[in-house]
Each structure stands twice: as structure tokens, then as C-alpha cells.
Amino acid sequence: TAMKMNGQQTNNDKEVAIKVSWKRSRDSVENECSILQNLQKNRVPHVEQCLGRPNNPYPYEDGRVMIALTPVISSSSSSSSNNGIISTTTSDLTNVKSGQPQSNAVKSVVETMVGMLKVGIYTVDVQPLINTETGDTLFIDFTEAKRFSTPPSAEEESGLVGFCSEMFVLIPDSLKDEAGEYLRAELEKLSNGEEGPMSEKILDILESIWVD
């Protein structure tokens, strides 16, 4: 739906990726930036950030817009060296180093899912970038992200089931019990917070997918 150019620099030397819409995808790219800024405002963790305006005009062709995304993380085909350790990114949690790194990734998946549901946002075709050595996780590409109402409509409920299912599938079978513990902890934290618990409909969806 858009072109992405990595390696651009902002005025404060922060490296960003510039995403340029096509004319037909202008609305979805603007929506992506708006969604990401909403997630950032609500401190939803492990998602990329959109800097500045969501509708910066593309200077070389009318009707197109560009947005700036950060951080810039290499795709799974490349690697980087940190203190002599070669780390790569992957979307497959089974490729992550076992032990604490996998636990970090599992926790990140749960935290991001709960955080998004809490602020009324879901997406399709989830795309995590997971560091194979540390388990550090970043979710990217929110072009298809949508807001849902309370209670959700039938169409939104279908989308929510798909979103929660996609997040669940990211977790290997051997780590699903651990993921369930993290989920219970996140929901309990939410219930004890100022905003109160999730709606019954969302809890029903989570229970049907994430709980045996």
C-alpha cells in the first residue's frame, strides 16, 4: 500500500523510515500515523512511532502523503553486531534464543495486545520484529489498524477475534502457559487501575482464544 525508505535523518539526528503513500492508499497511511500516535499517547508498548503530522504532502506528486516512522529496525534478512554478538530480527518466536529472550518476547506480545485492546484498537496481519538474542519486540505496519466501539459491532467483533488469534499464534505451544500467566497478570493490573477492567465482550474473546 505504500513505499518505505529507511535511513533518513531528522533534525535531531534520529534515524527514521519515510513511508510514502500511493494516491489510492493516502487515507490508510494517514490513518496508520493517527493510530500510532494514539497508541503512543496511551503508552502502549512495543509499537513503532509516527513522528509529526499524519498528512505531510509528498513533494514530487500531488495526492500522495508521507509519514516518518521510528525506530528503524533491520528486516529478518540482515543482522547487526553488538559486543561481538550477531543478532538478527525475526517474526518467528521459535527462532528467538530460549530462556529469558523468549520470555521477553512472549511478555511483549501480551502487553501489546492488551494495551491495544484497552484503547480500542485492533489490526490485521500483525507484523512483529523480534531480536533473536534479546527478545526485544517491535510491532510495525499498522496500515490496516482500526478503532472499535463499545460494545463492538459484529464486523468489529470478527476483526477482534482475528487480531487476538493472530497474536496467539505467535506464541509457540511450549510457551502458551507462560503467555497465559502474563495475560492474567496484565488483566489483573488493568482491573486494579483507574480505567477498570476490559469489557465483558473483549474478555469473552480473549478467554475463547487464549484460555483452554
Side-chain angles (χ1 to χ4, degrees):
T1 58
M3 297 187 302
K4 201 168 184 179
M5 299 177 290
N6 292 341
Q8 306 299 308
Q9 299 287 328
T10 61
N11 290 336
N12 60 0
D13 293 329
K14 178 183 287 188
E15 191 175 19
V16 299
I18 303 299
K19 190 170 190 176
V20 182
S21 77
W22 301 107
K23 290 182 179 180
R24 64 181 179 276
S25 64
R26 172 176 180 150
D27 289 346
S28 63
V29 171
E30 290 180 352
N31 175 69
E32 176 178 19
C33 187
S34 176
I35 290 283
L36 288 172
Q37 290 180 342
N38 183 283
L39 295 175
Q40 181 183 0
K41 177 183 176 181
N42 287 283
R43 299 180 180 180
V44 176
H46 317 299
V47 298
E48 62 182 345
Q49 297 179 13
C50 184
L51 307 178
R53 296 163 50 200
N55 58 349
N56 297 287
Y58 182 56
Y60 303 111
E61 186 176 3
D62 291 341
R64 299 172 69 183
V65 295
M66 56 185 185
I67 59 176
L69 302 168
T70 189
V72 177
I73 294 182
S74 301
S75 67
S76 58
S77 61
S78 60
S79 62
S80 60
S81 177
N82 182 17
N83 296 325
I85 298 174
I86 301 298
S87 61
T88 62
T89 56
T90 181
S91 61
D92 186 346
L93 217 149
T94 61
N95 293 330
V96 177
K97 187 176 180 180
S98 61
Q100 192 59 50
Q102 281 191 334
S103 293
N104 291 342
V106 170
K107 191 170 188 287
S108 296
V109 170
V110 173
E111 288 175 340
T112 303
M113 180 184 68
V114 172
M116 289 176 62
L117 294 174
K118 181 179 67 175
V119 298
I121 291 171
Y122 69 95
T123 190
V124 297
D125 190 23
V126 296
Q127 296 191 37
L129 293 178
I130 310 170
N131 186 295
T132 56
E133 286 294 320
T134 66
D136 290 344
T137 302
L138 182 74
F139 285 89
I140 65 168
D141 196 351
F142 283 74
T143 311
E144 303 300 325
K146 297 179 181 179
R147 294 175 173 86
F148 63 88
S149 53
T150 304
S153 66
E155 180 180 355
E156 290 168 343
E157 184 175 343
S158 176
L160 285 164
V161 169
F163 169 62
C164 293
S165 298
E166 283 191 56
M167 297 294 268
F168 184 69
V169 168
L170 294 175
I171 310 296
D173 289 342
S174 60
L175 296 170
K176 280 188 166 56
D177 287 344
E178 184 175 351
E181 292 175 7
Y182 284 133
L183 178 59
R184 282 187 286 273
E186 285 297 309
L187 294 177
E188 183 176 353
K189 188 191 308 181
L190 193 60
S191 297
N192 295 331
E194 294 180 0
E195 299 176 9
M198 290 274 194
S199 71
E200 287 298 322
K201 177 59 71 175
I202 301 301
L203 290 174
D204 287 345
I205 291 172
L206 287 171
E207 183 174 4
S208 69
I209 298 168
W210 280 69
V211 180
D212 290 334

